[in-house]
CSV table of all heavy atoms in Angstrom, one decimal:
chain,number,residue,atom,x,y,z
A,157,ARG,N,-20.5,-34.7,-1.8
A,157,ARG,CA,-20.4,-34.2,-3.1
A,157,ARG,C,-19.3,-34.9,-3.8
A,157,ARG,O,-18.5,-35.6,-3.2
A,157,ARG,CB,-20.1,-32.7,-3.0
A,157,ARG,CG,-19.1,-32.4,-2.0
A,157,ARG,CD,-19.0,-31.0,-1.7
A,157,ARG,NE,-17.9,-31.1,-0.7
A,157,ARG,CZ,-17.5,-30.1,0.0
A,157,ARG,NH1,-18.1,-29.0,0.0
A,157,ARG,NH2,-16.5,-30.2,0.9
A,158,ARG,N,-19.3,-34.7,-5.1
A,158,ARG,CA,-18.3,-35.5,-5.9
A,158,ARG,C,-16.9,-35.0,-5.8
A,158,ARG,O,-16.7,-33.8,-6.1
A,158,ARG,CB,-18.8,-35.5,-7.4
A,158,ARG,CG,-18.2,-36.7,-8.2
A,158,ARG,CD,-19.0,-36.8,-9.5
A,158,ARG,NE,-18.6,-35.7,-10.4
A,158,ARG,CZ,-17.5,-35.8,-11.2
A,158,ARG,NH1,-16.7,-36.8,-11.2
A,158,ARG,NH2,-17.3,-34.7,-12.1
A,159,GLN,N,-16.0,-35.8,-5.5
A,159,GLN,CA,-14.6,-35.5,-5.4
A,159,GLN,C,-14.0,-35.6,-6.9
A,159,GLN,O,-14.2,-36.6,-7.5
A,159,GLN,CB,-13.8,-36.4,-4.5
A,159,GLN,CG,-12.4,-36.0,-4.3
A,159,GLN,CD,-11.7,-36.9,-3.3
A,159,GLN,OE1,-12.2,-37.1,-2.2
A,159,GLN,NE2,-10.5,-37.4,-3.7
A,160,ILE,N,-13.4,-34.5,-7.3
A,160,ILE,CA,-12.8,-34.5,-8.7
A,160,ILE,C,-11.4,-34.9,-8.6
A,160,ILE,O,-10.9,-35.6,-9.5
A,160,ILE,CB,-12.9,-33.1,-9.3
A,160,ILE,CG1,-14.4,-32.7,-9.4
A,160,ILE,CG2,-12.2,-33.0,-10.6
A,160,ILE,CD1,-14.6,-31.2,-9.8
A,161,TYR,N,-10.6,-34.5,-7.6
A,161,TYR,CA,-9.2,-34.8,-7.6
A,161,TYR,C,-8.7,-34.6,-6.2
A,161,TYR,O,-9.2,-33.8,-5.5
A,161,TYR,CB,-8.6,-33.7,-8.5
A,161,TYR,CG,-7.0,-33.8,-8.6
A,161,TYR,CD1,-6.4,-34.7,-9.3
A,161,TYR,CD2,-6.3,-32.8,-7.9
A,161,TYR,CE1,-5.0,-34.8,-9.4
A,161,TYR,CE2,-4.9,-32.9,-7.9
A,161,TYR,CZ,-4.3,-33.9,-8.7
A,161,TYR,OH,-2.9,-33.9,-8.7
A,162,GLU,N,-7.7,-35.4,-5.8
A,162,GLU,CA,-7.0,-35.2,-4.5
A,162,GLU,C,-5.6,-35.0,-4.8
A,162,GLU,O,-4.9,-35.9,-5.4
A,162,GLU,CB,-7.3,-36.4,-3.6
A,162,GLU,CG,-6.5,-36.1,-2.3
A,162,GLU,CD,-7.0,-36.8,-1.0
A,162,GLU,OE1,-7.9,-37.7,-1.2
A,162,GLU,OE2,-6.5,-36.5,0.1
A,163,GLY,N,-5.0,-33.8,-4.4
A,163,GLY,CA,-3.6,-33.6,-4.6
A,163,GLY,C,-2.9,-33.7,-3.3
A,163,GLY,O,-3.5,-34.2,-2.3
A,164,LYS,N,-1.7,-33.2,-3.2
A,164,LYS,CA,-0.9,-33.4,-2.0
A,164,LYS,C,-1.4,-32.5,-0.9
A,164,LYS,O,-1.3,-32.9,0.3
A,164,LYS,CB,0.6,-33.1,-2.4
A,164,LYS,CG,1.2,-34.2,-3.2
A,164,LYS,CD,2.6,-34.0,-3.6
A,164,LYS,CE,2.7,-33.0,-4.8
A,164,LYS,NZ,4.0,-33.2,-5.6
A,165,ALA,N,-1.9,-31.3,-1.2
A,165,ALA,CA,-2.3,-30.4,-0.2
A,165,ALA,C,-3.7,-30.0,-0.2
A,165,ALA,O,-4.2,-29.3,0.7
A,165,ALA,CB,-1.4,-29.1,-0.2
A,166,LYS,N,-4.4,-30.3,-1.3
A,166,LYS,CA,-5.8,-29.9,-1.5
A,166,LYS,C,-6.6,-31.0,-2.1
A,166,LYS,O,-6.1,-31.9,-2.8
A,166,LYS,CB,-5.9,-28.7,-2.4
A,166,LYS,CG,-5.2,-27.4,-1.8
A,166,LYS,CD,-5.5,-26.2,-2.6
A,166,LYS,CE,-4.9,-26.1,-4.0
A,166,LYS,NZ,-3.4,-26.0,-3.9
A,167,ILE,N,-8.0,-30.9,-1.8
A,167,ILE,CA,-8.9,-31.8,-2.5
A,167,ILE,C,-9.8,-30.9,-3.3
A,167,ILE,O,-10.2,-29.8,-2.8
A,167,ILE,CB,-9.8,-32.6,-1.5
A,167,ILE,CG1,-8.8,-33.4,-0.6
A,167,ILE,CG2,-10.7,-33.6,-2.2
A,167,ILE,CD1,-9.6,-34.2,0.6
A,168,LEU,N,-10.2,-31.3,-4.5
A,168,LEU,CA,-11.1,-30.5,-5.3
A,168,LEU,C,-12.4,-31.3,-5.4
A,168,LEU,O,-12.5,-32.5,-5.7
A,168,LEU,CB,-10.6,-30.3,-6.7
A,168,LEU,CG,-9.2,-29.6,-6.9
A,168,LEU,CD1,-8.8,-29.5,-8.3
A,168,LEU,CD2,-9.2,-28.3,-6.1
A,169,TYR,N,-13.5,-30.6,-5.1
A,169,TYR,CA,-14.9,-31.1,-5.3
A,169,TYR,C,-15.6,-30.4,-6.3
A,169,TYR,O,-15.4,-29.2,-6.6
A,169,TYR,CB,-15.6,-31.0,-3.9
A,169,TYR,CG,-15.0,-31.8,-2.8
A,169,TYR,CD1,-14.2,-31.1,-1.9
A,169,TYR,CD2,-15.3,-33.1,-2.6
A,169,TYR,CE1,-13.7,-31.8,-0.8
A,169,TYR,CE2,-14.7,-33.8,-1.5
A,169,TYR,CZ,-13.9,-33.2,-0.6
A,169,TYR,OH,-13.4,-33.9,0.4
A,170,GLU,N,-16.6,-31.0,-6.9
A,170,GLU,CA,-17.5,-30.4,-7.8
A,170,GLU,C,-18.2,-29.2,-7.1
A,170,GLU,O,-18.6,-29.3,-5.9
A,170,GLU,CB,-18.6,-31.4,-8.2
A,170,GLU,CG,-19.2,-31.2,-9.6
A,170,GLU,CD,-19.9,-32.4,-10.0
A,170,GLU,OE1,-20.9,-32.8,-9.3
A,170,GLU,OE2,-19.6,-33.0,-11.0
A,171,GLY,N,-18.3,-28.0,-7.7
A,171,GLY,CA,-18.9,-26.9,-7.1
A,171,GLY,C,-20.4,-26.9,-7.3
A,171,GLY,O,-21.0,-27.7,-8.0
Side-chain angles (χ1 to χ4, degrees):
R157 39 189 186 192
R158 200 168 73 85
Q159 184 176 315
I160 297 172
Y161 176 78
E162 176 156 10
K164 288 178 280 203
K166 294 189 290 295
I167 305 175
L168 303 182
Y169 297 98
E170 209 166 59

